[in-house]
Structure formats: structure tokens, C-alpha cells
Amino acid sequence: MLNALIDRPWKRLILFALVVALTYLPYSIRLTYYRDDWYYAYDALVGPAGIFRALFASDRPARGPFFEIYYAVFGMSPLPYHLAMYFWRLVGGLGVVWLSELLWPRQRQAGMAAGLLFAIYPGFTWWVSGVEYQPMVASAALMVVSLALTVQALRLGRSTIRTICVLGAIATGWIYLALVEYAAGMEVIRLLVVYLVIDAREVHTFGKRIALALRNWLPYLIIPSAFLFWRFVVFSSQRRATDLGAQLGGLVTEPATTGLHWFVSFLLSFINVTFSAWVVPLMSNFFSNSVRDILLGLLLALLAGLAGWLALRSPNGPNPDTEQSTWSRQAMVLGFLGLILGILPVIAANRQITFPNFSHYALPASLGLVFLVSGLVSWVPSSGARAGALSVLVMLSALTHQGLGANALHEERIISNFWQQMAWRAPSIAPGTTLVAYYPHLDYGDDTDIVWGPADYIYHSQRQTQIPVHAPVSALTQDYLTFNNIVVGHDAEESTYRAHSMTLNFDQVLILSQPDETSCVRVIDGRWPILSLSDDPALRLLAPFSRVDQVAMSGANAALPTLLFGAVPKHGWCFYFEKAALASQQGQWTEVAGIQDQAGTLGLHPNDQIEWMPFLQAAAYTGDLQRVKEIATRINTEKLYRQQACQNLNAMAHYGYPLPAAAQTYVNELFCGIKP
């Protein structure tokens, strides 16, 4: 029965594609924009023709036309980009199978294993960012295809097909290097695979085989030589990270210090690519998910492991020990050198392969890893045991990616829900506003794109004619420097990155907070801040500086694209809270009281009692002492909330909303402890 599933190569290839699909697609088809994808989307939304060329003009110009083709075909709908991510990973994996088949025709199990592990390598964690990381996965796939075409050409006699293979190898070689310059070390691997093909013929002495390999490799020298000439002679990089001269400068001025730094970085990167990749992303992402996502991930990983086991189960057939020793030794040497050559250019650029920020640097080196692993596992005597061991690695990889996908989807849903509520709260956000946003349980570090990106996408989507385009709403990180610049005061700063710019106005800050997914988004009003016990403690310091007048009153409520933000949530408590907060900003206290009546009729109530505050203000201002008393029973359960009620209600008079005398006396007694 099982043999019927794997008795044909095409059946095993279907199982191969199934493993990759089970690894990526369950989350890929639901993901939208992740992290830096937002600035690609916004630049494309408002930018003129040529925006993508401008985006990469300073460092990697080949990526401009690459993204222009994508944009012409897909627009900025996120789903096709995520499907393309799956496509490139699948092509890369199948390319490794093809290359292995050409190098070691009788080792199909090892070739299938190497291809699977390359396609679902767990150390590449950025596949969830379906837009930004397209060039990296395309480059990795084309790198393997280029190598396979090189070997295929060597196995053909003089013919038109051979010429096509040579030209195809050169073309794909140029493209993969133009997209990812730090993959350049893998061009040495091309010479090694050429030698392996020559060596397999065993018709010459070692010296003659070397000479023959060099002669056959010579036509492909045009790939690295033409690329390097263009990259470092014709093209002048404006980014230090991609400027070889700037990066090698330290080696010239401080050779000992730089050399030691490179050596340590190389060792750490080597460990990360080979060992940490199977542990760190898994432990960091999978077990922090919900029980439902963990169980679903386990199920999908088990299915991927089972499909992988079936695909790998076919034995290689009887091979002499000498052949086993020869091919596995070749695979391990090729793999070990591939690891070194994949890592060295990254180190020379003064980078280091780490998780998660720089996991994409591991993609070229992962080709060496999968050959090394397949060669090592080949020493297990039993074909069934080899398939079992390799399927465990497949399952671990799939498990890692399930965790990554679940985390990314959860983050995107947090952001979507946040801005759905903001659309209820803010008809518009004024140009020149600088946001400080606290998403629930989400530390976005320097990725402020996930704050200003949605804000500008929703509120400022008008086409612009200039490059760089200007984002009317900017955002700040949540660090000490930000706090200091807001509290102490700081001149406005212009920030330009690639093809967009923005102005950081520290005196026009608008603070947004949603401390928990069950709470409502609060636009902090510096006149009478509403602060939750769950808020970041720093927010209490920043709250008085939040300019609620940056929420513009003109215009209808923003309509959010369903494609990015999902369907409009049902009108629960937060809908009425946001409407009440908007009305209170305008001083429409009677309307706020009416909104409370609507929510009460529906039996709605907050999960965080501080969200009664605008309704308490409305009741006090309109002199409804009975309602003040009812809300006080909820507000006064927390000392912090009682203090805020005292402060905010007394602040209303200062901003033109004095309470009636009776209400003022009652408020002072209930919340401030002042006896009449």
C-alpha cells in the first residue's frame, strides 16, 4: 500500500510539494502585511511611477525592476506575494533535488532530503514578510537553478540544449547575485560542482581533472567577474552596509581588531546556521502561541513529517561501500565549504547571522548545510532509519514555521483590530502628527512602520508626484530618547529612508494605547488623560503631552480596506466607547450620555473599568448625580481610577466645561475625599 504511494518519481515530487505546502500555506493564505511590508505598500499606494526603482537606487538597483514586475502583475494585494514566497521556496527545494540527482544519480533519498530541508530551512524566519523578502527567496531559488543548469550543461554533448543551459546558468547567476550580493561566495561552489562532475568520470589524473574543471568552469567566470565589476566599479553604493570599500576599511586600519571581530562573528554565525536554527526560532515562537495554535501546529507538523517520511522512504538500492563513502564524503565537503562560503561575505560586510533580525543572511549558506546534513545522515546503515531521522528534521522545521506563522498572524490581527477601533474614534489624523502607539503585548522595536504605515494608508492615501514621497503622519519608537525628546522638548526632525520621508514633530505627539486585546483603544487626551492600570508606566509621564487636537473632526469615518484589515467588527462595547470618546473631545456631553444609554440597552460593559471615564464626565457635566453614583461604584474599585476621576472632573472647568455646583460638591466627596 505504501509502496504504491512512492513507486513513481512524480508521486514523490507531489509529496515534496505537499510538505512545503503544509509548512507555509496554512498561514500564508491568511497573512497580510508584516512589519516593513507596510512602507512598501504605502510607497506603492501614493508614489508615482518609478517608486520601486527609487526605493533601491542607493544600494541594490536590480530590486527596483524586480518589484515593478511584481507590482504590475499583483498590485499590492498581499496574498499573491505570500503565494510567490511558497513558489520560490518550492522551486529552490526542487532545484536542490535536481542538482543532487545530477551530481549523485543513485542517491535519490539524500537528494530528496536535501531539497526538503532547503525548502523549509527553519533558520529563515522572515517568510512571513511576504513583500519585503521576495528578492531573497527568489535569489536563493535562482542560485540553485543556476548551479543545476551548469551541471546539466556538462552532462550534455555539444548541442543547442547545452548552449541553452549555459546561457540559462549565466542569466540566473547574474540575477541571483544582482538581487542578493552577499551570496557571491556561492560562485566558488560552482567550480566545486564542476570538479565533482569531472571527477566522477575518473579518466584523468588529479592534476588533469583540476585543469579540465577549470577549463569547463571558465565560461561561468563571467558571472562573478561581470557582477563584481558592475557592483564595485560602475555602481557606487550610497549605503555603508553594501559598500565593500567602507566595510573593508576596518581591516586595513585595524587588522587585528577587525580580524578578531570577524572570527568571532563567523563562529557565532556558523553555530546559528547549523545548530541554533533548529532550536532558537522554534523555542522563541511556537510555545508562546495559544493552545489552539499549538495543537494545530503539531497536527500540521506531524502531517508534514509523515509526507516527508513517505517521500524519503524509497531506498537507494544496493551500493558498494566505496561508492557510499565517495558520494557522502563529497556531499559533506561540498556542504562544509558551502557553509563557509555562504557566511564569509556576510562577515565581510560586518554583519552577523542572528535570529530573527538577520536570518535572511542564512539563505545562501543553508544550501551548504543541507548537503552536509544529507551526507552525514547517509552513514546511518538502514534506509528506513535514515528516512525516519530526516523526517524528524522535516517535522521540526515545519513546527518552527507553524509557530512563526501563528505569531505573525496574531500580530497582524492585533494591528487590524487596533485600527478598526481608531477608524471609529478618529475621522482623520492631521498631517504633521507624530504617533506614539502602544499595541497590546507587542514590542515592535524600531519597526515604526507598523504604526505610521496603517495610519497613513487609512487617512492619507492621496497620490503624490514627488520622490521621495512624504508620509504626513509619522511615528516614534518607545525608548528613552523618545521620552526625553517629548518631555524636555526637541526640534522637529526630518527622517528619510529609501523612497519616503516624514517629519518627527515632538510638539505634535498623539499617544494611542490599547494595553490588552480585550480593552479598547484610547486616544490619550492631555487635558484629562484616561490611563489604565495595564498601561506602560512610561505613559503616565507622557500623557500630558498628547495632543488630542491632532485628531481632526472633519470628514466621514475612514473606510478600511477589507483586504488588509478584515471585516468591520461587530459593534460591541468598544464601538460605543470610541464614539463617546470622540464626542467628549468635542465637548458634546449630552451625546456621550445618549451613547451610554445605547450601550446599556444592549447590555454592554467594559472589561477595563477606566473606560467608564467619558461617561462619568458626561454625567457630572449634565448634573446626573444618580448616574455619577452608579459609575463611581465601578471607578472607585481601583485607587488609581478614583484619583483620575478626581483630577479629570476637576480639570473640566479649566478647559471650559465647569460642573454644576451640586455635581462639583458630590464629585469632590466621592472621588477626592473632600467633605462638604
Side-chain angles (χ1 to χ4, degrees):
M1 177 63 180
L2 290 178
N3 287 336
L5 295 174
I6 57 175
D7 60 357
R8 294 288 187 273
W10 63 267
K11 293 181 180 180
R12 290 193 291 275
L13 291 178
I14 289 176
L15 287 169
F16 185 105
L18 178 61
V19 171
V20 184
L22 287 169
T23 300
Y24 295 116
L25 291 185
Y27 287 100
S28 288
I29 59 176
R30 294 182 286 168
L31 291 169
T32 57
Y33 295 149
Y34 186 75
R35 298 285 170 135
D36 285 351
D37 287 350
W38 277 106
Y39 81 73
Y40 284 77
Y42 186 70
D43 288 0
L45 178 70
V46 304
I51 189 68
F52 285 113
R53 291 177 186 268
L55 199 64
F56 296 101
S58 64
D59 55 355
R60 298 180 177 106
R63 293 187 185 181
F66 177 85
F67 274 107
E68 284 184 346
I69 294 171
Y70 265 78
Y71 184 62
V73 177
F74 300 138
M76 284 308 295
S77 173
L79 178 59
Y81 289 82
H82 287 291
L83 294 179
M85 184 72 69
Y86 165 74
F87 168 78
W88 286 120
R89 297 309 283 149
L90 180 62
V91 168
L94 292 175
V96 172
V97 175
W98 181 23
L99 178 60
S100 300
E101 178 78 13
L102 292 170
L103 292 174
W104 308 293
R106 301 185 65 184
Q107 309 303 327
R108 291 183 174 177
Q109 183 187 52
M112 185 70 73
L116 273 177
L117 295 178
F118 183 76
I120 62 173
Y121 173 63
F124 175 54
T125 63
W126 283 112
W127 63 270
V128 294
S129 186
V131 178
E132 183 179 17
Y133 288 87
Q134 287 293 324
M136 291 72 156
V137 292
S139 174
L142 293 174
M143 174 186 73
V144 178
V145 170
S146 182
L147 294 174
L149 285 170
T150 299
V151 178
Q152 184 68 69
L154 288 172
R155 292 195 173 278
L156 296 171
R158 293 186 177 276
S159 65
T160 302
I161 297 178
R162 179 180 180 178
T163 302
I164 292 173
C165 287
V166 171
L167 294 176
I170 292 172
T172 51
W174 278 335
I175 295 171
Y176 93 77
L177 284 178
L179 292 175
V180 174
E181 78 287 340
Y182 54 81
M186 303 308 287
E187 278 305 299
V188 181
I189 295 298
R190 193 184 304 274
L191 174 60
L192 296 178
V193 297
V194 169
Y195 174 79
L196 289 179
V197 175
I198 302 301
D199 185 56
R201 297 170 182 171
E202 297 183 354
V203 294
H204 301 288
T205 63
F206 175 73
K208 288 184 177 180
R209 289 201 296 273
I210 290 287
L212 190 57
L214 288 171
R215 190 175 73 185
N216 280 274
W217 172 74
L218 196 60
Y220 302 101
L221 184 59
I222 194 173
I223 299 174
S225 58
F227 170 74
L228 292 172
F229 177 79
W230 169 80
R231 181 72 193 182
F232 300 113
V233 177
V234 177
F235 176 72
S236 177
S237 177
Q238 298 174 34
R239 288 189 68 206
R240 182 179 177 84
T242 56
D243 185 338
L244 184 63
Q247 297 302 327
L248 294 180
L251 191 62
V252 175
T253 57
E254 297 181 337
T257 302
T258 303
L260 179 61
H261 172 71
W262 282 10
F263 178 71
V264 172
S265 294
F266 176 84
L267 286 180
L268 292 174
S269 296
F270 187 90
I271 292 170
N272 284 337
V273 173
T274 53
F275 300 105
S276 300
W278 303 91
V279 179
V280 174
L282 175 63
M283 300 304 294
S284 300
N285 292 278
F286 185 74
F287 297 103
S288 60
N289 291 311
S290 66
V291 174
R292 178 184 177 278
D293 285 331
I294 288 175
L295 292 176
L296 177 61
L298 285 170
L299 175 61
L300 291 170
L302 286 171
L303 291 174
L306 176 60
W309 176 74
L310 288 172
L312 297 169
R313 187 172 176 272
S314 178
N316 292 324
N319 294 318
D321 289 342
T322 54
E323 183 179 334
Q324 169 66 33
S325 174
T326 299
W327 91 262
S328 60
R329 185 173 63 251
Q330 289 177 349
M332 288 188 291
V333 170
L334 182 65
F336 185 74
L337 292 176
L339 275 168
I340 294 174
L341 293 167
I343 294 172
L344 281 179
V346 177
I347 304 306
N350 289 305
R351 295 287 193 179
Q352 190 180 115
I353 300 172
T354 57
F355 305 115
N357 290 350
F358 299 118
S359 68
H360 53 290
Y361 288 138
L363 278 174
S366 67
L367 177 63
L369 174 67
V370 299
F371 281 135
L372 179 62
V373 170
S374 62
L376 288 171
V377 174
S378 70
W379 291 97
V380 176
S382 166
S383 175
R386 289 197 299 270
L390 290 167
S391 65
V392 169
L393 293 179
V394 168
M395 187 174 70
L396 287 175
S397 296
L399 208 60
T400 298
H401 292 306
Q402 298 306 314
L404 287 162
N407 267 337
L409 185 62
H410 183 217
E411 178 175 313
E412 289 180 3
R413 285 176 174 169
I414 285 174
I415 294 169
S416 173
N417 177 65
F418 187 98
W419 289 100
Q420 289 282 8
Q421 292 191 38
M422 275 298 295
W424 294 331
R425 172 63 179 85
S428 185
I429 298 177
T433 302
T434 297
L435 299 176
V436 176
Y438 291 86
Y439 289 125
H441 311 298
L442 176 56
D443 179 10
Y444 53 80
D446 294 330
D447 294 329
T448 58
D449 318 74
I450 65 173
V451 178
W452 68 261
D456 283 305
Y457 204 101
I458 294 167
Y459 295 111
H460 299 285
S461 58
Q462 299 80 13
R463 278 283 180 181
Q464 301 180 27
T465 58
Q466 82 285 350
I467 297 178
V469 298
H470 185 75
V473 174
S474 61
L476 297 171
T477 56
Q478 300 170 4
D479 55 23
Y480 171 77
L481 184 60
T482 290
F483 302 151
N484 186 71
N485 287 341
I486 293 173
V487 175
V488 176
H490 194 278
D491 294 337
E493 292 181 3
E494 292 299 318
S495 174
T496 301
Y497 181 72
R498 294 192 179 275
H500 60 263
S501 66
M502 62 186 66
T503 305
L504 304 179
N505 292 307
F506 296 97
D507 60 349
Q508 296 181 43
V509 168
L510 181 66
I511 302 174
L512 316 174
S513 180
Q514 185 188 19
D516 189 85
E517 291 179 65
T518 61
S519 61
C520 303
V521 175
R522 281 171 288 110
V523 174
I524 304 301
D525 187 337
R527 299 174 299 173
W528 41 69
I530 301 176
L531 303 175
S532 170
L533 283 169
S534 302
D535 277 328
D536 189 305
L539 190 53
R540 300 180 191 179
L541 176 66
L542 295 178
F545 299 92
S546 182
R547 293 274 303 275
V548 74
D549 58 318
Q550 295 302 115
V551 173
M553 297 295 102
S554 59
N557 286 78
L560 276 61
T562 304
L563 196 65
L564 301 182
F565 298 95
V568 177
K570 67 177 183 179
H571 290 178
W573 167 262
C574 286
F575 172 79
Y576 294 97
F577 171 79
E578 303 299 350
K579 290 301 181 185
L582 177 60
S584 69
Q585 177 184 338
Q586 299 169 292
Q588 298 174 351
W589 301 109
T590 302
E591 182 178 341
V592 175
I595 292 171
Q596 182 184 351
D597 292 335
Q598 296 175 40
T601 301
L602 297 172
L604 301 174
H605 56 82
N607 290 307
D608 190 335
Q609 302 308 313
I610 197 61
E611 291 164 12
W612 285 110
M613 187 62 72
F615 303 107
L616 174 63
Q617 290 176 278
Y621 183 76
T622 58
D624 189 341
L625 301 188
Q626 179 59 37
R627 186 167 291 188
V628 170
K629 182 178 180 181
E630 291 173 359
I631 298 176
T633 61
R634 300 175 174 91
I635 291 284
N636 284 349
T637 56
E638 296 292 346
K639 182 179 180 181
L640 174 64
Y641 295 173
R642 185 171 66 251
Q643 291 173 345
Q644 283 187 68
C646 175
Q647 294 166 1
N648 291 354
L649 291 169
N650 280 288
M652 292 176 69
H654 179 72
Y655 292 100
Y657 304 106
L659 305 184
Q664 184 67 65
T665 301
Y666 194 48
V667 162
N668 287 339
E669 180 181 356
L670 275 178
F671 302 107
C672 306
I674 301 175
K675 299 296 182 179

